[in-house]
Amino acid sequence: AALMAGVTGRKSETILAKLRRDAADAPDDEALQRLWMSAEAVRGDAQAAIAPLAARLEADPADADAAFLTARAQERLWRETGDKDMRTAARGSYAQAFRQRPDHFETLFGYARLSIDAASANTRDALLEAHRLAPQVVPISAYLSLSYAGAGEFDEAMAILKRVRGRHLSDNERTLITGLLQAIDQSREGGPATVDLPAMLREQDGTETEALPED
């Protein structure tokens, strides 16, 4: 639970090490095995999570959790290595998870943020549904606003961010929203953005320690 909540550094390494030992000692403990695979996929050794998750999916292709965690692991590997095939695999796994659980906002958001064309109708639909399901999640609002901005719909992009700005936000979230408002306003006026939007988005979606490869 601590790892999923974003605990990092030495404390997360200690928790993960214990979880690995416990999982190795109890291979028949279903709940523990799922917790271990989840921790590896999201915060631990993403590569180590792939094989056991693949075995789960082979046994039960309708296992939405396994498909989602596979996508998370593949997305992390893409970010770490720049392997575009891994990006494609991650999108496919998110799509598989969506087919089994279409109302899971994290799956929708994962699929959308791996889109090469943020302004495409397919990506927009996924972001809109994720936003409807979880309007409180700031990174979803941020990506949705960028989708509108990418299509030249600057007023809608700004309106989304202004609604978010009126809520109670963390310092990082407020910095993100302020930067996006500035960048979109500059884009609307035809000038270059002067803020590092990809870096700010990575800080919000849990990939702050990972390089974001170029398309």
Side-chain angles (χ1 to χ4, degrees), residues 7-210:
V7 173
T8 58
R10 183 173 299 177
K11 187 173 182 180
S12 71
E13 292 173 4
T14 301
I15 294 170
L16 186 54
K18 183 179 185 305
L19 184 55
R20 286 168 175 158
R21 291 194 301 271
D22 291 346
D25 290 340
D28 296 327
D29 188 325
E30 176 67 16
L32 184 57
Q33 292 300 312
R34 282 188 175 271
L35 180 59
W36 163 66
M37 285 184 281
S38 179
E40 295 286 20
V42 176
R43 294 285 176 182
D45 183 348
Q47 187 64 61
I50 297 292
L53 286 167
R56 296 269 173 153
L57 285 170
E58 184 175 358
D60 180 11
D63 188 334
D65 284 334
F68 171 72
L69 290 172
T70 298
R72 287 298 302 269
Q74 290 166 332
E75 180 181 356
R76 286 185 60 218
L77 289 171
W78 162 64
R79 292 180 185 276
E80 292 167 0
T81 66
D83 183 347
K84 292 184 178 181
D85 289 340
M86 195 58 69
R87 178 183 190 160
T88 301
R91 274 205 112 203
S93 295
Y94 278 126
Q96 181 180 359
F98 169 77
R99 287 191 291 272
Q100 303 305 323
R101 189 168 53 191
D103 59 350
H104 187 234
F105 79 85
E106 292 177 286
T107 295
L108 288 159
F109 184 39
Y111 180 82
R113 70 173 174 258
L114 292 186
S115 174
I116 293 175
D117 181 5
S120 71
N122 195 28
T123 301
R124 176 80 59 79
D125 287 346
L127 286 169
L128 283 169
E129 182 63 7
H131 184 63
R132 184 189 71 80
L133 292 166
Q136 77 282 3
V137 178
V138 172
I140 294 176
S141 298
Y143 273 85
L144 181 58
S145 72
L146 287 176
S147 177
Y148 279 108
E153 300 175 58
F154 297 113
D155 288 342
E156 184 60 34
M158 297 284 277
I160 292 169
L161 296 174
K162 287 176 180 178
R163 287 195 294 271
V164 174
R165 189 174 59 179
R167 304 198 317 244
H168 177 72
L169 301 174
S170 69
D171 290 343
N172 282 344
E173 289 171 339
R174 189 163 300 281
T175 298
L176 171 66
I177 297 305
T178 300
L180 283 170
L181 283 166
Q182 176 187 340
I184 291 171
D185 190 51
Q186 290 168 340
S187 296
R188 180 166 55 182
E189 298 301 320
T194 58
V195 293
D196 188 351
L197 297 179
M200 288 193 294
L201 288 168
R202 287 198 298 274
E203 289 180 2
Q204 296 300 318
D205 69 15
T207 60
E208 63 276 12
T209 62
E210 301 161 2

